Amino acid sequence: GAGVSQSPSNKVTEKGKDVELRCDPISGHTALYWYRQSLGQGLEFLIYFQGNSAPDKSGLPSDRFSAERTGGSVSTLTIQRTQQEDSAVYLCASSSYQVGKDGYTFGSGTRLTVV
Amino acid sequence: DQQVKQNSPSLSVQEGRISILNCDYTNSMFDYFLWYKKYPAEGPTFLISISSIKDKNEDGRFTVFLNKSAKHLSLHIVPSQPGDSAVYFCAAEAGGGADGLTFGKGTHLIIQP
């Protein structure tokens, strides 16, 4: 597609439920990043995928968070047993370079609300 | 511990005047700096960047200045236009990009007619 696509755009879930967020990067972009933005905060880096390589998961906030990228393209971010502090906008970005020298292209994000 | 700081949550500037957005950082390993612009309900969009080996980069109405000794950078927008009203994020990268970008909390720029 022309841009980075994220779905759903909005998600309201009950505390304790699992949620899955999806990101379709720009075709051909090998680098994919997940960030989250909590209210009044800057963007917090979560995880980075380069092609099919195994990601460094150390940036994930807890072991309830996991992410995968299938076939070097689509990525899903899964949050298990959601908590209220998980409420945030989750942003995905892709890039044609490992280093974001041209800046990434961000999707519009998924707004997650845990009630 | 915030490594990238934008100390002004908001800034109001008259249309046609210069807008100056400031950013300070603490990590001396940062070697690349970027500015992003964000409208409500949209993802951030890349605006301009600068390598640590430079002290200035210009692109049309936008100029970024880097003062390495002060660990300070600024974004100048001149002349400011109504469409510039948005939240501006300063971001920094430390070699390679595998650790992602470190973002500031953003400055909400309001251009007044």
Side-chain angles (χ1 to χ4, degrees):
Chain A
V4 177
S5 178
Q6 290 188 247
S7 60
S9 55
N10 279 284
K11 177 74 177 176
V12 180
T13 190
E14 290 181 353
K15 179 181 171 182
K17 294 282 180 73
D18 297 351
V19 294
E20 198 171 273
L21 313 179
R22 177 187 169 104
C23 173
D24 279 281
I26 291 174
S27 178
H29 278 192
T30 57
L32 186 149
Y33 299 80
W34 282 98
Y35 288 81
R36 74 174 175 182
Q37 185 182 16
S38 303
L39 191 63
Q41 302 297 313
L43 281 71
E44 175 191 4
F45 170 69
L46 297 179
I47 194 166
Y48 157 70
F49 292 89
Q50 174 59 30
N52 291 320
S53 303
D56 176 359
K57 300 181 181 180
S58 60
L60 294 174
S62 79
D63 58 9
R64 297 185 294 104
F65 286 71
S66 62
E68 62 177 23
R69 189 178 185 192
T70 52
S73 181
V74 171
S75 177
T76 54
L77 178 70
T78 301
I79 310 173
Q80 295 178 309
R81 305 181 303 282
T82 51
Q83 303 294 312
Q84 288 185 328
E85 63 261 28
D86 300 334
S87 296
V89 176
Y90 288 81
L91 290 156
C92 174
S94 70
S95 172
S96 58
Y97 306 99
Q98 176 180 351
V99 293
K101 292 295 189 283
D102 296 323
Y104 316 141
T105 301
F106 278 90
S108 297
T110 295
R111 180 175 295 278
L112 175 67
T113 305
V114 182
V115 297
Chain B
D1 176 34
Q2 262 194 286
Q3 297 187 57
V4 176
K5 298 179 184 178
Q6 294 177 258
N7 291 320
S8 299
S10 66
L11 176 67
S12 185
V13 175
Q14 223 169 5
E15 182 179 356
R17 300 286 188 114
I18 182 170
S19 296
I20 300 176
L21 296 99
N22 292 303
C23 178
D24 297 291
Y25 63 95
T26 57
N27 187 347
S28 57
M29 299 301 291
F30 288 143
D31 60 4
Y32 209 81
F33 303 89
L34 307 93
W35 285 93
Y36 283 83
K37 175 180 177 179
K38 186 180 183 301
Y39 294 117
E42 294 183 12
T45 55
F46 171 71
L47 203 53
I48 193 169
S49 62
I50 189 167
S51 164
S52 60
I53 62 173
K54 295 187 176 182
D55 54 19
K56 177 182 174 182
N57 188 26
E58 193 171 351
D59 183 2
R61 296 186 299 114
F62 303 91
T63 303
V64 56
F65 295 93
L66 175 63
N67 182 334
K68 278 188 68 177
S69 60
K71 293 193 175 68
H72 176 83
L73 65 155
S74 60
L75 174 68
H76 293 211
I77 307 172
V78 55
S80 300
Q81 298 174 354
D84 296 331
S85 295
V87 177
Y88 289 78
F89 289 98
C90 172
E93 178 186 272
D99 293 328
L101 297 176
T102 302
F103 282 83
K105 292 186 178 182
T107 296
H108 185 194
L109 177 64
I110 302 160
I111 305 301
Q112 294 182 331

